[in-house]
Amino acid sequence: MFLALREMRFAKTRYALIVIIMLLVSFLVMFVTGLARGLAYANASSIENMPADYFIVQKDAGQRFGRSVVTPDTLSQAASIVGQKNVQPLGVQMTTVTQGGEGTKTDVTLFAADPGGWIMPEVIEGSRRTGSDEVLADSKLKESGFRLGSQIHDQMTGAEWTVAGFVKNESYSHTPVVYMDMQQWDSWKAKFTAKPGTAKEETTYNTIAVKADNGQADKLASKLGDMQILSKKSAISAIPGYKEEQGSLLMMITFLFVISGFVLAVFFYVITIQKTSQFGILKAMGTSSGYLARSVLAQVLMLTISSLAVSLLLVAAANRLLPDSMPFKLDAGSIVLTSVLFVVMAVAGSLISVVKVAKVDALDAIGRVSA
């Protein structure tokens, strides 16, 4: 450690350049990771925030809510296994709306649920529904001009609802969610599914949210017949475009880690070669290869950790400057994981330099030729 600190003290410019490069690389990795996590959250926050462990859908629906049709019989069957209070029906349908039938068209996702159930999110502005035409809307709809009391006009059916309250971070497939009750859901579906003169169709849902442990989930799966039970993680992955979007970003982040490892390895290897004669002199004076190797690793760790610390401050500052429309989310878990991976890549890249130090011959390094 003493040797590492003294060397950085007397070669400030050289190591300052290395710190700047490591800082830029780590900032880029952190920033892209935050964007990837933010996009994932913007794509599936409504499901991610929902206090459900599993979801029941049709087997032939490809694990997608929009393709699934679930009947009250399945709801009763699930309730008999996990308890009535642990199951909640959920209707899911994407549509296009305008404010009062005029203005800019906005894509939303309708969620139909029990107004008093645990699926309904907390209201941050306004109040919960009190009228038959009132709904709760995600606060992102404010960007399209919607306010408390605004009329949401559905382009598909002509149905209209009044915004009674706003909720936060409730989106599905990058669209804001509008929450309604099952009576509104049935009325909305009847406008484009029912035919004149036909009897009223039975209430159906797209999925059933379930709170259950693993044992109950296994028992439920064996009783479902043409239905299947999905974990929350599987349900999120099945959201249209989610896996493709996250797969591309994950590949980008992986390449950034690999490239950063190569860049750091090259820099430290070049510096090690430049110091070969110095290492040779130290070895001739009796310094062990292990001590020199530990000195190199200490330099790498100090430079990496200091660069990460500064890059985290820059990422936090950038996050404050980003517009609200840009999804960015970097929680403590992602920060720790990314930092650990970056340190591992830096140390792995410096191992070439460590091997070079161990192979330095004292006589050759100081310009003497052995007999």
Side-chain angles (χ1 to χ4, degrees), residues 123-128 136 148 164-166:
V123 178
I124 62 169
E125 184 180 350
S127 60
R128 286 185 178 272
L136 300 177
L148 291 177
F166 285 104

Side-chain angles (χ1 to χ4, degrees), residues 92-98 105-111 137-138 140-141 144 146 152-155 161 172-180 188:
V92 180
Q93 181 64 54
M94 299 185 72
T95 187
T96 301
V97 300
T98 59
K105 295 182 179 181
T106 305
D107 292 329
V108 301
T109 300
L110 304 180
F111 271 24
D138 182 70
K140 292 185 183 65
L141 275 179
S144 300
F146 290 89
I152 298 179
H153 178 85
D154 179 42
Q155 291 286 294
W161 308 288
Y172 183 87
S173 192
H174 292 296
T175 62
V177 172
V178 174
Y179 283 89
M180 60 178 57
W188 178 77

Side-chain angles (χ1 to χ4, degrees), residues 11 17 79 82 97 207 209 243 269 278 284 316 338 360:
L17 291 174
V82 300
V97 300
T207 183
K243 285 195 297 186
Y269 185 71
Q278 300 173 20
T338 304
V360 170

Side-chain angles (χ1 to χ4, degrees), residues 16-36:
L17 291 174
I18 295 176
V19 167
I20 291 174
I21 292 172
M22 295 179 69
L23 172 62
L24 293 174
V25 172
S26 59
F27 173 81
L28 181 60
V29 171
M30 288 284 186
F31 193 77
V32 174
T33 301
L35 287 177

Side-chain angles (χ1 to χ4, degrees), residues 36-46 48-49 169 171 242 329:
R37 187 69 189 92
L39 284 170
Y41 191 69
N43 202 347
S45 60
S46 57
E48 190 172 327
N49 295 335
N169 294 330
S171 58
Y242 183 91
K329 190 174 187 292

Side-chain angles (χ1 to χ4, degrees), residues 22-23 25-34 253 256-257 260-261 264 300-316 330-348:
M22 295 179 69
L23 172 62
V25 172
S26 59
F27 173 81
L28 181 60
V29 171
M30 288 284 186
F31 193 77
V32 174
T33 301
I253 294 171
L256 282 175
F257 274 115
S260 64
L264 296 177
V300 173
L301 288 174
M302 285 187 289
L303 294 172
T304 303
I305 293 173
S306 60
S307 299
L308 280 172
V310 177
S311 67
L312 286 174
L313 294 176
L314 292 177
V315 169
L330 198 60
D331 53 27
S334 299
I335 290 174
V336 172
L337 178 60
T338 304
S339 299
V340 170
L341 288 175
F342 193 79
V343 171
V344 169
M345 290 299 298
V347 172

